[in-house]
Amino acid sequence: MDKIEDLEVFHIPVKLNKEKIKFFGLENDEDIEFKKADIQVRLLIKIDNIWKIENISIKKISSADYNQVDKRTINSYQKIWKFPDSVAISLKLFTGEIKPCEFDRYDEFIKVKYTNLKDKRRVFLYELKNEKLKEIINFFRENKYLVIADVLRGRGALSANWLMVLKYNKNNNMTQWTLVEINVAINLYCKGNVKLTKKGSLKIGQVVMQRKGGTPDPTKLQFKIKPSLLF
């Protein structure tokens, strides 16, 4: 600690204006689109008089113990991960981005009739034909680490180096916390197979992929974790 001459902490807002983009030295769209850090810690080291920068992503444990870590349109994820068009169509049926009135055009994807769908707004993964479901599972199984690394760490100048989890205890009015190096967190959430959930979504290791629902942007795809796994 005697080598640290100064320490500065900066909050990173969800939306970055031009001033913040310049302040954090962001040079391209990837730095903005894939940011995961909530705070940036800068340490001035006496030796060589250099700043060491660490980015920290912060998650709170809610009563449901689920926290969204990423959400985007299917097209955005396809651009990032390069999955085939057939997987994109299946996922758009899953999120409801492809509207119910269009279902008849995708008979080769859906194994039940429109009138028999559980939810007329979208398709659950178990309502897809077996070969289409298998295609989705195989893609995420083969790319599990890439997917989980992207939704937890992100990419670029504001990707996360650390993941901090906060847990409030109302009985003693105290907040516990844990701080984990991001690669340790990624490896933890990668543990486990890729499989269908009982609710018709997909579990990728310890990360759940589901239709966002609600408002706004209900047809986006979202990824959620249980932050308590880090305690």
Side-chain angles (χ1 to χ4, degrees):
M1 291 296 292
D2 59 340
K3 295 179 181 179
I4 298 176
E5 187 169 293
D6 195 8
L7 182 150
E8 296 179 348
V9 180
F10 301 95
H11 170 251
I12 302 170
V14 175
K15 293 185 178 181
L16 298 168
N17 57 29
K18 291 182 179 180
E19 181 182 349
K20 292 296 184 182
I21 290 172
K22 182 178 180 180
F23 177 81
F24 288 110
L26 309 183
E27 298 179 348
N28 53 60
D29 291 340
E30 184 175 273
D31 287 336
I32 300 171
E33 292 177 12
F34 293 93
K35 76 177 184 68
K36 288 297 175 183
D38 296 299
I39 62 172
Q40 184 175 91
V41 179
R42 298 182 182 182
L43 305 171
L44 181 60
I45 310 298
K46 285 184 179 180
I47 300 174
D48 296 329
N49 199 37
I50 60 171
W51 285 98
K52 179 173 175 56
I53 296 176
E54 298 289 345
N55 295 325
I56 303 174
S57 174
I58 302 175
K59 303 299 176 188
K60 296 179 181 179
I61 296 179
S62 64
S63 57
D65 192 20
Y66 265 108
N67 200 300
Q68 176 185 282
V69 289
D70 206 86
K71 68 169 182 177
R72 303 174 196 266
T73 64
I74 304 302
N75 286 345
S76 295
Y77 284 123
Q78 186 178 26
K79 183 179 178 181
I80 299 167
W81 296 328
K82 313 298 183 188
F83 47 73
D85 289 342
S86 55
V87 169
I89 291 172
S90 293
L91 292 175
K92 287 178 181 180
L93 288 164
F94 171 58
T95 63
E97 184 178 339
I98 294 179
K99 305 301 180 187
C101 59
E102 301 178 63
F103 282 1
D104 288 344
R105 295 170 50 194
Y106 298 97
D107 287 342
E108 71 271 28
F109 285 83
I110 307 169
K111 66 182 180 183
V112 298
K113 293 182 179 180
Y114 171 72
T115 53
N116 293 329
L117 290 175
K118 182 178 179 180
D119 184 339
K120 301 299 187 294
R121 297 170 300 174
R122 43 78 69 99
V123 171
F124 287 87
L125 291 181
Y126 55 68
E127 293 173 322
L128 291 170
K129 288 191 174 179
N130 292 339
E131 62 269 23
K132 300 302 180 183
L133 175 58
K134 185 177 180 181
E135 188 178 26
I136 292 173
I137 290 174
N138 285 343
F139 174 82
F140 285 101
R141 181 176 290 145
E142 292 167 5
N143 296 277
K144 181 169 64 171
Y145 187 89
L146 169 66
V147 169
I148 293 178
D150 275 345
V151 301
L152 289 181
R153 179 173 57 211
R155 303 181 186 183
L158 291 181
S159 59
N161 306 112
W162 302 85
L163 181 57
M164 175 181 281
V165 176
L166 308 176
K167 180 169 66 173
Y168 175 68
N169 187 330
K170 64 180 180 180
N171 294 324
N172 58 16
N173 195 31
M174 294 184 66
T175 298
Q176 295 175 277
W177 60 273
T178 185
L179 183 65
V180 178
E181 200 274 327
I182 196 64
N183 289 321
V184 173
I186 291 169
N187 287 330
L188 173 65
Y189 285 102
C190 276
K191 288 183 178 179
N193 205 347
V194 177
K195 60 184 180 181
L196 198 64
T197 70
K198 292 180 180 179
K199 294 184 178 181
S201 296
L202 195 69
K203 191 171 184 182
I204 306 166
Q206 301 302 314
V207 178
V208 174
M209 181 189 82
Q210 61 185 190
R211 176 184 187 265
K212 180 184 173 296
T215 55
D217 48 52
T219 62
K220 284 187 176 180
L221 197 65
Q222 72 173 356
F223 293 82
K224 300 176 77 172
I225 64 169
K226 282 190 171 186
S228 63
L229 290 179
L230 291 175
F231 271 89

